[in-house]
Amino acid sequence: MPARSSASCNPELWEAEDIRPAETVTLGVRGAKGDSRSWLAGSPVVAALGALGLAHAGVLTTSHPYRIVRTKLSGAYFMATLSGGGQVFLNGRWQACGEGQAVLLMPGVLNAFYAEKGRPWSHCWVRVAEGAEVLRGPADRMQVMTRWNAAPLSHAVLGLREAALAGAPPPVLHRWAELVLVSVEEFRRSFDPDARVVRLWEAVEKHLAEPWTMSEMAQVASLSAEHLRRLSRAATGRSPHAHLMHLRMKRAAELLLSTDWPIKRIAEVVGYANPFVFSTTFKKVIGWPPSSYAARNDADGARKRQRK
């Protein structure tokens, strides 16, 4: 990724960026008036979208040097490529997101993407409002990219925008907003796991500090180890051990924002006796080391501590 701190593959050094070439075309819609960022300024406000838990959505066509880095991590983010392609930072490395591919990033995970040189990029996106529970599922995947047809979502988003600009009545706008949400939920539901796998991950989340082995997880799920591997990959895109790691890092991120516990204690709570191994794993999964994660999200953390 070119230019300044984002050229590095070390997310710890990155700062928030929002670079959009003049020829970028953004056709968006907002769920509330409070979001007044310049690139959303021309987007109509549709209360129905906000009522469904969505902050904003749109279709964007751009090219190099477009690049975005979000360091204030709030709601889930969904993006699907319509044509061309770009690069998305996922699971500790840059990955191509081309035509027919989509990515879902859950709250607390680094958002970073850019348009490649000589390759225009058109994609649609949906941002979930902070604190909203939409797009969460039994697998609660923190980040995933897979094949997906984005055309229905783009039609729903553009239909909602046109209806809003034409002054359509609230019931009509609500129907259009529902189509936007349903389109993305279809993507999320495609990863809903077998009930036995759901039972396993619910048990694991209650006891993350336990030294889970493959045989123990298979026993809880009432499956053979090989069958569990197949169902886990189908539901989460990861092996049972890899998903266990993600559940642990998800919980660690929550503790970093909601408590003042030292890293060593958080590491132990999520099953890591060695704080160095924990920190290395956290950085790979989340995007920053635990030592700087809370600081980068201090506003969100302060709000959560106040609620306790």
Side-chain angles (χ1 to χ4, degrees), residues 1 3 5 7 63 68 82 118 134 139 159 180 194 213 272 277 282:
M1 185 174 183
S5 60
S63 59
I68 305 293
L82 294 163
V134 296
V180 173
D194 183 285
T213 65
Y272 286 79
V277 174
F282 187 92

Side-chain angles (χ1 to χ4, degrees), residues 7-306:
S8 169
C9 274
N10 182 3
E12 186 177 2
L13 302 177
W14 294 359
E15 299 296 336
E17 286 187 293
D18 193 324
I19 298 176
R20 301 167 189 263
E23 62 272 20
T24 297
V25 176
T26 303
L27 302 176
V29 60
R30 294 176 284 170
K33 293 181 180 179
D35 197 335
S36 58
R37 285 171 289 180
S38 59
W39 58 274
L40 277 172
S43 301
V45 176
V46 178
L49 195 69
L52 292 175
L54 303 181
H56 48 79
V59 175
L60 181 145
T61 301
T62 189
S63 59
H64 178 80
Y66 171 85
R67 58 179 176 272
I68 305 293
V69 176
R70 298 287 185 235
T71 59
K72 295 296 182 182
L73 314 174
S74 52
Y77 182 79
F78 178 81
M79 179 172 64
T81 296
L82 294 163
S83 62
Q87 292 281 330
V88 178
F89 197 76
L90 194 68
N91 293 323
R93 62 187 179 88
W94 290 107
Q95 298 187 44
C97 184
E99 183 174 343
Q101 290 182 296
V103 59
L104 175 62
L105 305 172
M106 297 308 292
V109 176
L110 171 68
N111 289 185
F113 35 92
Y114 70 92
E116 301 168 327
K117 289 183 177 180
R119 192 182 187 195
W121 189 15
S122 178
H123 62 264
C124 49
W125 87 86
V126 175
R127 166 68 75 177
V128 175
E130 181 179 359
E133 293 297 315
V134 296
L135 301 190
R136 294 183 182 274
D140 200 11
R141 299 161 65 93
M142 294 184 70
Q143 44 191 352
V144 59
M145 183 189 297
T146 191
R147 302 293 302 177
W148 194 71
N149 178 14
L153 174 60
S154 68
H155 294 323
V157 170
L158 294 176
L160 173 61
R161 175 183 166 86
E162 291 303 314
L165 292 174
V172 173
L173 294 177
H174 185 77
R175 289 293 184 89
W176 277 110
E178 284 183 324
L179 286 175
V180 173
L181 179 58
V182 167
S183 294
V184 186
E185 284 187 330
E186 177 191 3
F187 176 87
R188 196 274 303 160
R189 279 195 299 270
S190 67
F191 297 105
D192 281 356
D194 183 285
R196 293 166 292 183
V197 178
V198 173
R199 182 172 65 245
L200 166 64
W201 297 131
E202 288 176 344
V204 168
E205 285 194 281
K206 293 177 181 177
H207 304 281
L208 288 173
E210 296 297 319
W212 290 93
T213 65
M214 187 65 190
S215 60
E216 288 171 336
M217 288 190 284
Q219 183 176 5
V220 170
S222 300
L223 296 165
S224 68
E226 185 55 36
H227 196 184
L228 174 58
R229 287 190 186 93
R230 289 197 298 271
L231 291 179
S232 179
R233 287 196 176 278
T236 71
R238 292 183 277 268
S239 69
H241 279 299
H243 193 61
L244 169 63
M245 176 184 70
H246 273 252
L247 291 176
R248 285 171 165 166
M249 296 305 105
K250 172 177 173 288
R251 179 58 178 152
E254 293 169 351
L255 292 173
L256 285 165
L257 293 180
S258 62
T259 73
D260 294 319
W261 293 354
I263 291 175
K264 184 176 186 297
R265 181 180 179 186
I266 292 177
E268 292 172 348
V269 167
V270 299
Y272 286 79
N274 187 323
F276 176 77
V277 174
F278 163 73
S279 295
T280 301
T281 305
F282 187 92
K283 179 178 176 181
K284 177 181 178 180
V285 173
I286 301 299
W288 294 292
S291 58
S292 65
Y293 180 79
R296 285 182 175 270
N297 297 274
D298 53 358
D300 291 338
R303 284 193 294 270
K304 292 180 181 179
R305 284 190 286 272
Q306 288 172 1

